[in-house]
Amino acid sequence: MAKYLMLKHYRGAPAPANDVPMDQWTPEEISAHVQYMNDFAARLEKTGEYVDGQALAPEGAWVRYDGEGRPPVTDGPFAETKDLVAGWMIIDVDNYERAVELAGELSAAPGAGGKPIHEWLELRPFLTAPPTITE
């Protein structure tokens, strides 16, 4: 089994087919989207492929250690994750092909008008230990 992180982005990829920002969706459209995500996760729990997932609130901050006795620095000159990452799901699947299949299915979550948003998801494998050389 291999673990993959599926990142849902607010922006940062080509525009999805149904490119209406969530803050412009009706409460019913938001509920349908969340229900799709919950149903997807529940189905993967039954197959043993679901590990965890969460939606993220839009607020947040970058934080960095700035030296002994100095307060942490917040925010910075870079794109902020709070503006980019909407949520995540971790899956544990047999192979990359299955991870791609599930990411494609998740990208069909409904959005405005109940139509699939065809959003781009970032699919990243967890870093594993490098292979060891045995003699």
Side-chain angles (χ1 to χ4, degrees):
M1 300 289 278
K3 289 184 181 166
Y4 287 87
L5 174 65
M6 294 190 291
L7 282 173
K8 294 174 64 70
H9 291 274
Y10 286 114
R11 61 176 192 238
N18 188 351
D19 194 19
V20 178
M22 189 179 244
D23 63 0
Q24 296 175 22
W25 296 1
T26 66
E28 294 79 17
E29 291 166 343
I30 292 171
S31 292
H33 182 82
V34 171
Q35 187 63 53
Y36 182 97
M37 302 292 292
N38 290 338
D39 292 346
F40 182 83
R43 188 169 48 83
L44 294 186
E45 282 179 339
K46 288 179 183 173
T47 65
E49 296 173 306
Y50 179 81
V51 176
D52 197 7
Q54 293 291 319
L56 299 174
E59 55 275 344
W62 284 87
V63 177
R64 181 190 80 204
Y65 173 76
D66 203 35
E68 190 65 38
R70 298 173 70 175
V73 175
T74 58
D75 285 341
F78 307 107
E80 297 192 40
T81 304
K82 66 185 179 192
D83 295 333
L84 301 174
V85 180
W88 52 270
M89 185 177 287
I90 298 170
I91 55 174
D92 195 358
V93 295
D94 287 331
N95 53 50
Y96 174 75
E97 290 75 19
R98 177 66 175 153
V100 169
E101 176 185 344
L102 292 175
E105 186 176 334
L106 188 58
S107 129
K115 296 178 184 172
I117 53 179
H118 299 277
E119 69 181 330
W120 286 89
L121 296 173
E122 184 177 350
L123 181 64
R124 297 187 59 183
F126 276 39
L127 184 62
T128 58
T132 58
I133 299 174
T134 57
E135 295 185 47

